[in-house]
Amino acid sequence: MKPTKVILDCDPGHDDAIALLMAHKLPEVELLAVTTVCGNAPLAKTTANALRIMELIGATDVPIAAGCVSPIARPLVLGTADGPSGLDGSPYLPQPTIKPVDMHAVDFLAAVLREAEEPVVLAPTGPLTNVGMFVLKYPELLNRIEKVVLMGGACYRRDEYITPTEFNIFCDPEAAEIVLTSGMDITMVGLDVTMRVVVEEPQYEAIAGINTPLARVVEDWLKFYEKLHRGQMGIGGALHDPLVLAAVIDPEIIETREAHVEIDRTGTHTFGATVADFWGLRGLATNAKVASQVDSEKFFSMFYKSLEM
Ligand code: RIB
Ligand code: CA
């Protein structure tokens, strides 16, 4: 079967880093390009991290373009799980020798899509600023995107560890609204499912049993990355962004429900929340498939496989 052509828009970020690794290593994906956005760290750091990661995994042939330096309509609020560098826990990673392309990510996205022989899957794993700006600047190219499979939102469970908001949407709610009203085929992989792919002792044992240099680096990333979760909620790090890649490779790894999703942009305690109407009560057309269930076991075996390669 032909590999799926994918463009990954990310804010590395430890879990973005693992998503990049999976996208490059797993044969079911052809990674056409990587675009970076502010989010887990300022743009300069997420871009430097993307360069370092792609060089580490041997993906130096994949072009990387830096994107938006701040959200569309509000100041940047940084993510907090990844440390000041955005990739703490791996200071030994060499500085990159590769450079980003000399084009803004939004324009580079257009160039890559124009050249692609067939529509491409867009996998955003950070705030949707680049994607939102792309929708506004290149509406004529939306048909070159087969579907958007994004990490974002929290629509079902409000368990004790799910806040009403999820960072990628909270960070740039205007961009999320633009993407959700674009008419594109959107699958939302939100906290409802990503908080079911958390790295705990059994997963650390499985990783420890993988004898590759990449598994060692990922171990170091996960040990740092879990600190926030472990401290706040007593759980390990959730592999939010890697689940997006898994859902691109095997859409059946998640179950989804159609909904009309809007972003709360006026709430005090719920600002940035994704509000999903699954029942058509508001008489509005559905605009997203919202992931509700995940086959965690299937996900982790795909994750381990990428570390073994
Ligand atoms: O809420 C989780 C998301 O925020 C992930 O994409 C993580 O990398 C951060 O960007
Ligand atoms: Ca991310």
Side-chain angles (χ1 to χ4, degrees), residues 25 68 73 108 152 157 203 230 292 297 300:
K25 291 288 183 182
C68 294
F108 189 65
R157 289 179 277 276
Q203 289 74 33
R230 193 67 74 196
S292 59
E297 206 173 311
F300 277 111

Short mmCIF file of all heavy atoms in Angstrom, two decimals, residues 25 68 73 108 152 157 203 230 292 297 300:
data_model
loop_
_atom_site.label_atom_id
_atom_site.label_comp_id
_atom_site.label_asym_id
_atom_site.label_seq_id
_atom_site.Cartn_x
_atom_site.Cartn_y
_atom_site.Cartn_z
N LYS A 25 9.88 7.36 10.71
CA LYS A 25 10.34 5.97 10.79
C LYS A 25 9.33 4.97 10.23
O LYS A 25 9.69 3.93 9.69
CB LYS A 25 10.63 5.60 12.25
CG LYS A 25 11.84 6.31 12.84
CD LYS A 25 13.13 5.75 12.26
CE LYS A 25 14.36 6.39 12.87
NZ LYS A 25 15.61 5.91 12.29
N CYS A 68 4.37 30.92 12.27
CA CYS A 68 3.93 32.10 13.01
C CYS A 68 4.58 32.20 14.39
O CYS A 68 4.68 31.21 15.11
CB CYS A 68 2.42 32.11 13.13
SG CYS A 68 1.61 32.30 11.52
N ALA A 73 -4.58 36.48 17.28
CA ALA A 73 -5.22 37.68 17.83
C ALA A 73 -4.96 37.88 19.32
O ALA A 73 -5.69 38.59 19.99
CB ALA A 73 -6.73 37.57 17.61
N PHE A 108 5.08 28.12 2.44
CA PHE A 108 5.72 26.84 2.07
C PHE A 108 4.67 25.75 1.99
O PHE A 108 4.71 24.89 1.10
CB PHE A 108 6.80 26.48 3.09
CG PHE A 108 7.64 25.30 2.66
CD1 PHE A 108 8.46 25.40 1.53
CD2 PHE A 108 7.59 24.10 3.34
CE1 PHE A 108 9.24 24.33 1.11
CE2 PHE A 108 8.35 23.02 2.93
CZ PHE A 108 9.18 23.13 1.81
N GLY A 152 -6.08 18.32 19.42
CA GLY A 152 -6.66 19.50 20.04
C GLY A 152 -8.03 19.22 20.61
O GLY A 152 -8.73 18.32 20.16
N ARG A 157 -15.33 13.84 28.17
CA ARG A 157 -15.19 13.60 29.61
C ARG A 157 -14.59 14.84 30.28
O ARG A 157 -13.76 15.52 29.75
CB ARG A 157 -14.27 12.41 29.82
CG ARG A 157 -14.92 11.09 29.41
CD ARG A 157 -13.95 9.95 29.63
NE ARG A 157 -13.03 9.84 28.49
CZ ARG A 157 -13.35 9.18 27.36
NH1 ARG A 157 -14.52 8.61 27.25
NH2 ARG A 157 -12.50 9.10 26.36
N GLN A 203 4.89 0.73 30.21
CA GLN A 203 5.39 1.30 28.95
C GLN A 203 6.89 1.60 29.06
O GLN A 203 7.65 1.35 28.14
CB GLN A 203 4.61 2.57 28.59
CG GLN A 203 3.17 2.34 28.14
CD GLN A 203 2.22 1.98 29.31
OE1 GLN A 203 2.42 2.47 30.45
NE2 GLN A 203 1.24 1.15 29.04
N ARG A 230 3.08 14.21 36.40
CA ARG A 230 3.30 13.43 37.64
C ARG A 230 3.07 14.35 38.85
O ARG A 230 2.40 13.99 39.80
CB ARG A 230 4.74 12.89 37.64
CG ARG A 230 5.06 11.84 38.65
CD ARG A 230 4.35 10.54 38.45
NE ARG A 230 4.86 9.74 37.34
CZ ARG A 230 4.18 8.72 36.80
NH1 ARG A 230 2.98 8.42 37.25
NH2 ARG A 230 4.69 8.01 35.82
N SER A 292 -13.46 9.71 20.35
CA SER A 292 -14.08 9.41 21.66
C SER A 292 -13.44 8.21 22.33
O SER A 292 -13.43 8.10 23.54
CB SER A 292 -15.57 9.13 21.46
OG SER A 292 -15.71 8.01 20.58
N GLU A 297 -3.64 -0.17 23.25
CA GLU A 297 -2.66 -1.25 23.04
C GLU A 297 -2.11 -1.18 21.61
O GLU A 297 -0.90 -1.22 21.38
CB GLU A 297 -3.33 -2.60 23.25
CG GLU A 297 -2.37 -3.71 23.68
CD GLU A 297 -3.14 -4.99 24.04
OE1 GLU A 297 -4.11 -4.89 24.81
OE2 GLU A 297 -2.76 -6.03 23.48
N PHE A 300 0.32 1.78 21.35
CA PHE A 300 1.65 1.59 21.93
C PHE A 300 2.49 0.62 21.09
O PHE A 300 3.70 0.82 20.93
CB PHE A 300 1.57 1.14 23.39
CG PHE A 300 1.39 2.29 24.34
CD1 PHE A 300 0.20 2.47 25.03
CD2 PHE A 300 2.42 3.22 24.53
CE1 PHE A 300 0.04 3.55 25.90
CE2 PHE A 300 2.26 4.31 25.38
CZ PHE A 300 1.06 4.48 26.07
#
